[in-house]
Amino acid sequence: IKAGIAQQIRQKQAVIDRLPELIQEGILDEATADLRRYTLQTEIAAIRQQQAQLPPINLLEIAQTVSIPQFWQDLSEAERRFYFLEFLQRIDLIRDEADWAIALKFIF
């Protein structure tokens, strides 16, 4: 899937790279080329957003790395939140008569 997404990005970037040539040849005018460039850049951004939502290839290696306490100490707060949310699958609220408990289920 990631290879297909990368190929789509390369194809769209190739079209963007060809736009100045098409303007020089008189096939496209400047306004049309600008509109096409904007459309292609928007499509590339959407594809990259899809790519960012895919799971990492080496999930097992990442799970082993994040289980090391030193790993978490070396991260910034934003990086900690990112990794925490990446591996958090579910949050359960457990309510007894007077007590509340939170159970976090992680993907490892």
Side-chain angles (χ1 to χ4, degrees):
I1 294 174
K2 287 189 178 191
I5 289 174
Q7 178 63 26
Q8 288 178 7
I9 292 172
R10 282 193 299 275
Q11 288 173 345
K12 292 183 186 305
Q13 189 61 50
V15 174
I16 290 172
D17 293 343
R18 249 191 107 220
L19 288 176
E21 179 183 321
L22 295 174
I23 292 170
Q24 285 180 347
E25 293 176 6
I27 296 172
L28 294 177
D29 63 354
E30 194 70 38
T32 305
D34 288 343
L35 180 61
R36 185 66 180 136
R37 181 178 299 109
Y38 176 78
T39 303
L40 288 167
Q41 289 172 339
T42 303
E43 291 172 3
I44 288 173
I47 292 170
R48 286 194 173 139
Q49 187 175 18
Q50 271 183 328
Q51 186 179 29
Q53 293 174 356
L54 293 174
I57 294 173
N58 53 355
L59 189 58
L60 183 59
E61 290 177 22
I62 292 174
Q64 290 172 347
T65 302
V66 298
S67 66
I68 301 169
Q70 184 63 40
F71 172 81
W72 293 98
Q73 293 170 0
D74 293 341
L75 295 177
S76 70
E77 189 60 34
E79 292 169 326
R80 284 186 198 132
R81 280 193 304 269
F82 171 79
Y83 277 105
F84 183 73
L85 293 174
E86 188 72 23
F87 289 100
L88 184 62
Q89 183 179 31
R90 191 173 79 211
I91 300 174
D92 293 329
L93 296 174
I94 304 164
R95 193 171 98 180
D96 291 334
E97 291 178 15
D99 295 328
W100 286 74
I102 298 175
L104 303 175
K105 183 172 182 177
F106 291 94
I107 303 168
F108 283 110

